Amino acid sequence: MADQETSVRITRAAKKRAAAAMSDDQTYTKKRVVLGELKNVSNISAPVDTTSGAEQQKPKCRSKSKKVKNSVTVATTKTTKNPVDTVATDSDGKSDDPQMCHSYGSEIYEYLRDLEADPLRRPLPNYIESVQKDINANMRGILVDWQKLQLLGVSAMLIASKYEEISPPHVEEFCYITDNTYKKEEVVNMEADILKSLKFEVGNPTIKTFLRRFTRVAQETYKTPNLQLEFLGYYLAELSLLDYNCVKFLPSLVAASVMFVARFIIRPKTHPWCSALEKNSGYRPADLKECVLTIHDLYLSRRGGALQAVREKYKRHKFKCVATMPSSPEIPASFFEDVKE
C-alpha cells in the first residue's frame, strides 16, 4: 500500500514537471512581431530568469540579441520625428510636450547650421557653368516647375517616404503615379542610383527645416496663429527653388529671407524683422538683403514669371490664395537696417 502511494506521488510530481516544461516551451516559442504591431506592450509578460548571477553574465544567444536590437533600432528610426520638429523657440519653454525638447532647441539649431554649411553637402553655386553644361539656368527653372521628371521624381519620393514615414507606400503605387510609364525595376534602379550618388546621406537640412522654426517665432507677434503667414512662407520657399541664383544661399538664409518677405507682404508698414527672429536665426536684416530682393522679385513675377505651376498651386483656396496677395513693389531701404530693441 505504501509503495502504491509513493508511486502516485512520484507520478503526480512528474506530471507537474512536464506541464511546467511545456509552459516554458510555449513561452519561448511565441511568434515574434515588430514593435509597431504590438497593441499593448504592458500586457506582454516576459519570462522570468531564474539563473544564477554567474550564469547571467554569459549571453546564451548572441544572434537573437542582435536581431532584437536591430528591430528596435529600425522601429525607433522609423518613428523618430524630423529634427526640425524638436527644435523649439523660447516660447516653447512653457510647453508640456516632451517632443518639443525645448531644453535642447538652441543646440539642435546650431548643429543644423553647421551641417548646412558643410561644403560636401552643398550644391556648387556655379554647377551649371562648370559641370552640367548641357542646360542653362532657364532650362533648370522649367524642369523644376514642370514636375514631369517622372522617374527621378517618383524615385526621390520613394526614398523620402522611407525616410519620413512609418508605413511608406509600395513601389507599385509610385509606378501608378506615372500612369505605369515606368516599371517597378526602373524605379528601384533609379532609387539605388540616387542613394549611391548621395552616398546614402539623405538627411541634410533644407529650407523647410529652418522655416518651421522661424514661422513659430514670427507667430509670437500675432494673437492667434496666422495661416496666411505659414502658407505664404511655403509659397515663397517653393518659388526660391525655381531661381538658379538662390542656389548659392544657405537654406537657413533663404528661410530667414522668406519670412522677412512674408511679413513684409502681410504688414508692409511694419519692420518685417524683429529681435526674436534675429536671435533665433542668427541673421541681421543686412545679411538677408540680396536674397530678400531676389525672392521679392520672384513673388512679383519680375523673375521667373513664365513658370506657373507653383503660382497656380498657391492660388487655391486651401492655401488661402496667398499667390494673389498684393505687395508693395519696393522694400524700403530702412528695413535692411539693424533692428532697434
Side-chain angles (χ1 to χ4, degrees):
M1 189 71 173
D3 293 340
Q4 187 176 358
E5 291 179 355
T6 303
S7 175
V8 170
R9 283 197 294 269
I10 292 174
T11 303
R12 288 176 179 173
K15 287 182 177 179
K16 288 182 179 180
R17 287 195 296 271
M22 289 178 64
S23 150
D24 290 342
D25 290 341
Q26 290 175 356
T27 301
Y28 286 103
T29 56
K30 284 184 178 179
K31 181 182 177 182
R32 292 176 56 201
V33 296
V34 296
L35 294 181
E37 296 177 6
L38 299 180
K39 295 182 178 179
N40 191 347
V41 178
S42 62
N43 291 335
I44 299 174
S45 58
V48 179
D49 191 355
T50 58
T51 56
S52 63
E55 292 175 340
Q56 289 180 4
Q57 292 178 358
K58 289 187 177 182
K60 292 186 177 180
C61 184
R62 292 179 179 272
S63 60
K64 282 190 176 182
S65 174
K66 287 182 179 179
K67 288 181 180 178
V68 173
K69 183 177 180 182
N70 289 339
S71 65
V72 172
T73 303
V74 171
T76 304
T77 304
K78 293 269 186 184
T79 55
T80 300
K81 291 183 176 292
N82 191 302
V84 68
D85 294 325
T86 65
V87 178
T89 63
D90 295 338
S91 63
D92 293 328
K94 300 178 182 179
S95 174
D96 294 329
D97 185 355
Q99 292 189 354
M100 295 304 294
C101 299
H102 56 82
S103 301
Y104 310 102
S106 58
E107 287 83 357
I108 293 174
Y109 179 66
E110 289 176 8
Y111 167 72
L112 292 173
R113 286 294 304 275
D114 290 339
L115 201 62
E116 68 165 354
D118 185 350
L120 297 178
R121 296 174 179 269
R122 295 281 302 142
L124 294 173
N126 62 336
Y127 76 89
I128 287 181
E129 295 83 359
S130 59
V131 180
Q132 203 166 11
K133 299 178 181 179
D134 53 330
I135 67 171
N136 56 41
N138 186 51
M139 293 167 63
R140 174 187 176 277
I142 293 173
L143 290 174
V144 173
D145 185 62
W146 190 22
Q147 303 295 324
K148 289 186 179 178
L149 299 172
Q150 294 189 68
L151 182 57
L152 178 62
V154 297
S155 301
M157 287 173 63
L158 174 62
I159 295 170
S161 65
K162 288 182 178 180
Y163 184 79
E164 291 284 349
E165 302 295 334
I166 296 174
S167 300
H170 295 291
V171 179
E172 290 80 2
E173 295 180 58
F174 289 101
C175 295
Y176 176 77
I177 293 175
T178 70
D179 196 21
N180 294 312
T181 303
Y182 302 100
K183 298 179 181 178
K184 176 180 178 180
E185 293 75 15
E186 294 176 286
V187 176
V188 172
N189 289 336
M190 176 59 77
E191 175 193 18
D193 290 341
I194 294 172
L195 290 173
K196 287 177 183 176
S197 299
L198 297 175
K199 297 181 180 178
F200 288 82
E201 294 181 357
V202 295
N204 289 354
T206 64
I207 297 172
K208 199 169 183 179
T209 304
F210 297 99
L211 188 58
R212 290 170 181 164
R213 176 185 176 93
F214 301 158
T215 301
R216 284 202 299 269
V217 178
Q219 293 282 16
E220 293 177 3
T221 61
Y222 297 91
K223 293 181 180 180
T224 57
N226 189 323
L227 283 178
Q228 268 194 332
L229 178 68
E230 184 176 351
F231 290 138
L232 187 55
Y234 293 155
Y235 174 47
L236 295 173
E238 290 193 35
L239 281 180
S240 72
L241 299 176
L242 303 177
D243 198 293
Y244 178 55
N245 290 310
C246 290
V247 172
K248 62 185 176 183
F249 301 122
L250 291 174
S252 61
L253 189 142
V254 176
S257 302
V258 160
M259 191 48 52
F260 187 107
V261 176
R263 285 165 60 91
F264 170 72
I265 292 172
I266 294 174
R267 294 179 176 176
K269 302 295 183 181
T270 306
H271 199 301
W273 213 232
C274 62
S275 57
L277 280 168
E278 183 171 322
K279 177 182 177 182
N280 282 272
S281 69
Y283 292 110
R284 297 180 298 110
D287 301 329
L288 308 175
K289 184 175 181 179
E290 183 182 358
C291 189
V292 163
L293 294 178
T294 300
I295 293 173
H296 189 235
D297 284 347
L298 281 166
Y299 183 78
L300 295 175
S301 298
R302 293 193 288 226
R303 305 173 72 97
L307 308 175
Q308 292 297 314
V310 176
R311 301 179 193 277
E312 292 298 324
K313 172 183 175 180
Y314 284 92
K315 287 179 181 178
R316 300 175 190 170
H317 181 72
K318 70 175 183 178
F319 293 115
K320 300 295 183 183
C321 305
V322 292
T324 63
M325 294 177 64
S327 174
S328 174
E330 302 296 335
I331 300 177
S334 60
F335 284 173
F336 294 107
E337 298 175 359
D338 288 343
V339 176
K340 297 180 181 178
E341 294 290 343

